[in-house]
Structures are given as structure tokens and as C-alpha cells.
Amino acid sequence: MIEDNHSLATEFILTGFTNNPELKTLLFVVFFAVYLITMVGNLGLLALIFTENCLHTPMYIFLGNLAVMDACCSCAITPKMLENFISKDRTITLHECMVQFYFFCLAETADCFLLAAMAYDRYVAICRPLQYHTMMSKLLCIQMTIGAYIAGNLHSIIHVVLLLRLNFCGSHQINHFFCDVLPLFRLSCVDPYINELMILIFAVSIQIFTITVVLSSYFSILFTIFKMKSKEGRGKALSTCASHFLSISIFYGCLIFMYIQARSVKGDNDIPVAIFYTIIIPLLNPFIYTLRNKEVINVMKRIMTNRKPHNILKLISSKCVNPPH
């Protein structure tokens, strides 16, 4: 009996949000709509950056990769959550659980480094404008992007390997809507001290490094802006940083608040914050960067204008009148 109760789990049950059928239907509709908007927003922004030559700059390359990671996070979490709303079987296998956490951890870690890279890019653009093309070369941009993905993969692999050393016992019910580490720790028969310690070490190291880059970049930016004599120059500089700073504040605020509770016993407090950084942030990011970015708005206006019916008819008629030789 002791060995059976302490055997390694082959599957878990995700309890999710509620057992009320009517409320589950409503939540399915809401989160399905959020998922569709998230995917269209992020993949649409990625397609826009990829197809428009004027957006092939370091800032937008980082932004495109951020959109990829937001889409990755959403794909890792939301489909299984939606399935659990309409299915009576809310089980998830151990391997599915590890894969889900792997891609979630990859996306969140890569986001940290991409946001730091974007902050450094804004610092160079505003504080060192004459040296921008040398300091933010294409090679450096590629190296920073690859570095973000490598860091994300290594961080994910380490935590997945450490999770596989644990034995899970009891009801195997995860009081969450996805396989996050904190709910899994509460099911472990083995003391997860090493896991918690490694989470603390890596989370603190990653966040201290990236937040230091962000804060030092923005302190330099603000110092440079305050020295500007032109009001128009100040306004333009502030507008280029506003969307990025807003995104950083939301992202880091949620992560710090969540993982500072690594030894918390109550799982209910995890869910609202987890919804915010796994579902809401990937939804908001493309709109934060699009609606507050004049360059992206101008490109979208140009695309919409060129695709108007009268412009297409004018193009066709011009080709008919003056056929190509």
C-alpha cells in the first residue's frame, strides 16, 4: 500500500476553474475568443514585420520574436484548458504535463531576455543615435535573439529534469488549469527543496540580470530625454518607449509576484496571476505595440489603402490600357 500510494504518477487531473456546467460553457466561449484574438494578433504582427522591409530593424525583429513566444505560450496552455471545459475527462499524462511546462517555461524565459534586448535597443536609439547602426548591428541582433532562445531552452530542460526526479502521490489532482511547478510541488511525496532552490536561483538570476538591463537602459533614456531642449524631441522619445515600458511593467510585475510565493501552501492565489501572465499578456502585447506605434499603424494604413477596391480596379485598368511589352 505504501509503495502504491507513493508510486510515480502516470497522469494528473487538472481541476481547472469550476465544475459548474453553465459557467464552464461561458468560460469556454470567453477563453476561446481570447485565444483566437491572441493568435491572430501575434501571428498577424509577425507576418507584418516579416513582409514589410521598413520593419526589418532590430526593434521589430525582437518584437517579432516576442510575438512568436507569446503565441507559443498561448498554444501550450489554452488548448488543453479549453478541452477541459467541454470534456469530462480532465486528465493530462505526465509526459504531456512536462511538455506543456517546457514550452511555457521556454516562452516566459525567452520573453525576459527579448524584453531586455528591446530596452537596450531603445537605449542605443535615443542615447547613442549616431552610433546606432554600429552598436546594434545585424549580427548582434541575431546573437541576442539566439541567446534568448538558448537561455529559454536550457532553463526549461533543467526544471523538467528536476521535476522528473519527484514522486507524486495522493489524488494526483493539480489545483490549477495547467502544469505549473508550484501546484506540482504540492503533490510531491519527495521534498521539493532542491527544485524550489533551483527555481529561486534561476528566477532571481534571470530577473536580476534582465531587470538591471531594463532599468539601467531606461534611467539613461530618461536622463537623455530630460536634457533635450525640444518638446517635440521629448515627446517622440517618450512615445517610442511608452509601449515597451508598459509591457515590461505588466510582465515583470506578474512574474515577481507569482514566484515570490514559491513556498506558498495555498494554490488558489496562483490562478488569477497565472491567467494574467499566460493568457492576458500574450493577448495584450500585440495591441500594446501596434496601437501605440506610429510606424506599424502607418504600414497597416498603407496596406489597407492599397487593398481598397477602387485601387485594385485602377491597377487592373492601367494594365489593360498599357499592357506590358
Side-chain angles (χ1 to χ4, degrees):
M1 286 293 290
I2 294 173
E3 288 181 0
D4 289 341
N5 288 336
H6 290 76
S7 60
L8 182 66
T10 57
E11 61 182 27
F12 300 100
I13 300 170
L14 292 168
T15 58
F17 299 95
T18 179
N19 289 318
N20 187 321
E22 293 180 1
L23 191 56
K24 286 171 77 172
T25 303
L26 176 62
L27 289 171
F28 174 84
V29 173
V30 170
F31 283 112
F32 182 68
V34 169
Y35 179 62
L36 286 180
I37 295 169
T38 300
M39 296 307 294
V40 170
N42 282 290
L43 297 181
L45 180 60
L46 179 64
L48 193 70
I49 293 169
F50 182 77
T51 54
E52 293 297 320
N53 290 329
C54 62
L55 299 179
H56 292 176
T57 60
M59 181 65 178
Y60 293 105
I61 291 172
F62 294 138
L63 182 55
N65 283 280
L66 188 70
V68 171
M69 288 294 96
D70 284 341
C72 175
C73 181
S74 189
C75 286
I77 304 299
T78 312
K80 186 63 181 179
M81 180 182 68
L82 293 173
E83 180 189 332
N84 289 342
F85 282 135
I86 58 176
S87 174
K88 291 182 179 179
D89 182 19
R90 293 177 293 177
T91 59
I92 182 170
T93 67
L94 177 64
H95 293 100
E96 287 175 338
C97 195
M98 294 300 104
V99 169
Q100 187 183 59
F101 175 73
Y102 171 83
F103 283 106
F104 160 71
C105 187
L106 165 64
E108 297 301 311
T109 306
D111 275 359
C112 287
F113 287 97
L114 288 169
L115 288 169
M118 292 165 75
Y120 177 73
D121 175 80
R122 291 300 84 199
Y123 157 74
V124 178
I126 293 171
C127 302
R128 301 283 189 273
L130 299 178
Q131 300 173 323
Y132 182 79
H133 293 291
T134 55
M135 290 181 69
M136 282 302 299
S137 64
K138 187 175 181 179
L139 178 61
L140 178 61
C141 179
I142 293 170
Q143 288 174 340
M144 292 171 82
T145 304
I146 292 173
Y149 284 110
I150 291 173
N153 277 286
L154 288 175
H155 191 214
S156 303
I157 290 169
I158 288 168
H159 287 307
V160 167
V161 170
L162 287 172
L163 280 171
L164 290 173
R165 64 174 278 275
L166 300 179
N167 288 337
F168 303 100
C169 53
S171 64
H172 297 166
Q173 285 193 353
I174 299 177
N175 295 320
H176 217 298
F177 60 92
F178 75 101
C179 287
D180 200 2
V181 286
L182 304 184
L184 286 172
F185 290 167
R186 299 180 189 113
L187 300 181
S188 177
C189 308
V190 180
D191 185 2
Y193 173 76
I194 295 175
N195 298 65
E196 291 177 347
L197 181 63
M198 294 304 289
I199 281 182
L200 184 64
I201 290 170
F202 280 105
V204 169
S205 300
I206 290 168
Q207 291 191 27
I208 283 178
F209 173 75
T210 53
I211 288 174
T212 300
V213 173
V214 169
L215 290 179
S216 58
S217 296
Y218 273 99
F219 278 133
S220 300
I221 287 169
L222 290 173
F223 183 72
T224 302
I225 289 173
F226 286 137
K227 289 199 303 182
M228 291 180 179
K229 295 180 180 179
S230 169
K231 289 184 178 179
E232 290 183 6
R234 287 182 184 178
K236 188 177 179 180
L238 286 171
S239 66
T240 60
C241 299
S243 56
H244 180 239
F245 189 74
L246 176 62
S247 181
I248 281 175
S249 301
I250 296 171
F251 180 81
Y252 281 108
C254 289
L255 279 186
I256 291 169
F257 182 80
M258 184 66 185
Y259 284 100
I260 208 164
Q261 308 179 87
R263 300 189 69 88
S264 173
V265 177
K266 295 182 180 179
D268 297 337
N269 295 330
D270 301 342
I271 293 177
V273 182
I275 290 172
F276 211 81
Y277 70 73
T278 58
I279 296 171
I280 304 301
I281 289 178
L283 169 70
L284 292 178
N285 271 343
F287 297 100
I288 289 173
Y289 285 105
T290 301
L291 298 177
R292 294 188 59 88
N293 194 304
K294 290 182 180 179
E295 256 185 297
V296 175
I297 290 171
N298 290 335
V299 168
M300 291 175 69
K301 284 181 180 178
R302 179 164 54 79
I303 291 171
M304 296 302 293
T305 303
N306 291 339
R307 290 185 178 178
K308 283 184 179 179
H310 69 271
N311 285 338
I312 295 172
L313 290 172
K314 189 185 291 184
L315 180 63
I316 293 170
S317 62
S318 67
K319 286 185 177 181
C320 292
V321 173
N322 301 306
H325 296 289

